[in-house]
Every structure is written in structure tokens, then in C-alpha cells.
Amino acid sequence: MKQNYDLMMQEELKKLTERKTLLLHVCCGPCSSNVIKELSEYFDITIFYSNSNIYPEEEYYRRRDELLTFIPEFNERNHRHVTVVEDDYDLKAYTKKLEPLKDTGEKGERCHLCYSMRMKRAHDYALAHNFDYWTTVLSVSPHKISRWINEIGMAYQDEHLKFLPSDFKKRNGYLKSVQTSEEYHMYRQWYCGCVYSYQEALEREERKKQDVS
């Protein structure tokens, strides 16, 4: 039976009787914008920026800097204290792991491995630093498979650390993230992140040009 991960999240939030700590894996500012806004009602959030998939290096830092600009402004506007932790960036090693699956395309095995590696980093950090909950914003994208994301997260069962299931695209979540990022004048990237998604995006643009001509 198909799981309703958004409903599972809402039920988990209803159980909370006090604010808890949450480590939130974030891929970029725009995708995280509305998620942070909604979850900060329940949690003291630490953002975990772990994205060694992003190619090229300049793009990685552009997305990171956009996030670092957004968070202080968000905190000031909403009277929150969201903080950011940046993981090590190792594009070469990450791409080497993805390379055998490079031709599986968006929503293929390459993406599953990419989710898994980044989420494992987030889980391990949350466990080592005694967070109550952890999750990722990845499910906000209509190009991501929420079932995979939640199956990966729920596979890590720890006595004192809970995975918060989610499907952040639900209840107009993706549209709200677009609107919030526009409100904060944020840069929105035009491809997912890795070198292979970058190449595929270029190929799509080239096909569009050919169709027009």
C-alpha cells in the first residue's frame, strides 16, 4: 500500500509536547525556504549543508552562499535561531562513486545513491551530536522520489534519534518554496546538482533550441 509520508509527518508533529532539536539536511536555499518556515514552529533547527554532488565547485559555493544569506534574514524576520553546519566538500570522490550509474538518468539508480550518501552523512552527524530528530528537504522537489527518500531515512533506526518522514511537496509545498524564495530574492538553480544532471540539462536545452529552429 502506498504510504502517505506527509500524513505520517503530521501525526508525528502532533505527538510533540515540547520543542525538539532537528538536524535538517538541505540541498539549497530555495528548496529549504518553506520547509524551514514550517518546521521551525516545532523544532530548534540546525541546517546540515552536505552536498558534495554539486558540480562545478563555483555552483556549490553559490548555492551555499545563497543559503548563508537567507538564514540570517529568515531568523530576523521570524524571530528564530536557525543555525547552519557545512559538511566537507569532496566533489571528486563523490563523482567517482556516482560514475558507474551515470547513464541511469534523473530518478534512476544514480539519484538513489546520491540521496543515500548525503542522507547517511546527515544521519551520522545527527547521531553524533545528540539531535532528537533528523530529516532532509529533498522531497520538496517534484523531480525527487519521496518513497526512496523516506525508505532510506527510516532504514536508520536509533534508540534516541528519530527520522521525521516527509513529503514536503504536498499541500503546495513546492509552490510555497518558489514563492518564499522569490520573497527573499534567492537564486534558483536550473539543474539538480551533479555533473551528470548538469550535462543532461544542457542536452535538454539544446533539444529545445533544435525544436524551435
Side-chain angles (χ1 to χ4, degrees):
M1 185 174 68
K2 188 175 180 181
Q3 295 280 6
N4 186 329
Y5 297 109
D6 179 62
L7 181 59
M8 291 172 66
M9 181 183 74
Q10 298 303 319
E11 290 175 348
E12 186 66 29
L13 294 177
K14 288 178 183 177
K15 297 176 185 177
L16 298 178
T17 57
E18 58 184 3
R19 291 182 71 82
K20 298 289 186 177
T21 58
L22 170 74
L23 186 78
L24 180 64
H25 168 259
V26 163
C27 55
C28 64
C31 286
S32 67
S33 57
N34 185 66
V35 174
I36 294 169
K37 184 177 181 180
E38 294 189 353
L39 291 185
S40 64
E41 297 290 329
Y42 304 92
F43 298 102
D44 293 328
I45 298 175
T46 298
I47 290 171
F48 191 60
Y49 187 74
S50 180
N51 300 293
S52 287
N53 60 310
I54 299 176
Y55 169 91
E57 183 175 319
E58 293 79 12
E59 180 70 15
Y60 170 88
Y61 288 111
R62 185 175 186 183
R63 297 186 193 187
R64 184 205 63 179
D65 292 347
E66 194 70 25
L67 176 68
L68 293 177
T69 299
F70 162 64
I71 292 303
E73 187 174 354
F74 170 84
N75 283 336
E76 184 176 355
R77 288 192 192 186
N78 297 277
H79 307 290
R80 301 299 185 195
H81 300 282
V82 178
T83 58
V84 180
V85 172
E86 182 180 6
D87 196 9
D88 295 333
Y89 176 58
D90 192 346
L91 175 63
K92 184 176 180 180
Y94 206 94
T95 303
K96 185 176 181 180
K97 291 178 181 178
L98 292 180
E99 197 274 338
L101 301 173
K102 65 179 182 179
D103 296 324
T104 58
E106 188 114 21
K107 295 187 177 181
E109 293 177 68
R110 182 188 76 217
C111 292
H112 188 281
L113 178 59
C114 187
Y115 304 164
S116 298
M117 289 192 290
R118 286 186 284 167
M119 290 178 67
K120 178 66 163 56
R121 299 283 295 184
H123 164 268
D124 290 353
Y125 186 93
L127 186 62
H129 292 83
N130 301 311
F131 281 83
D132 298 313
Y133 285 83
W134 75 285
T135 194
T136 176
V137 303
L138 290 173
S139 67
V140 76
S141 169
H143 304 294
K144 303 290 188 294
I145 299 176
S146 296
R147 176 175 60 83
W148 284 357
I149 293 165
N150 285 279
E151 286 175 350
I152 292 165
M154 290 187 289
Y156 295 108
Q157 298 294 332
D158 299 294
E159 183 179 357
H160 302 294
L161 173 64
K162 292 184 178 181
F163 176 73
L164 184 68
S166 66
D167 192 350
F168 289 119
K169 69 177 69 64
K170 298 296 186 179
R171 293 178 289 117
N172 292 318
Y174 178 70
L175 175 60
K176 290 176 183 176
S177 74
V178 173
Q179 292 171 337
T180 304
S181 60
E182 288 176 350
E183 177 187 349
Y184 284 86
H185 308 291
M186 299 169 74
Y187 158 68
R188 295 186 63 84
Q189 61 271 17
W190 53 278
Y191 65 100
C192 180
C194 77
V195 62
Y196 309 114
S197 67
Y198 174 76
Q199 292 168 345
E200 289 163 0
L202 290 178
E203 290 169 3
R204 286 194 297 271
E205 289 302 310
E206 185 60 30
R207 286 195 295 270
K208 288 180 182 179
K209 292 177 183 178
Q210 292 176 357
D211 291 341
V212 170
S213 60

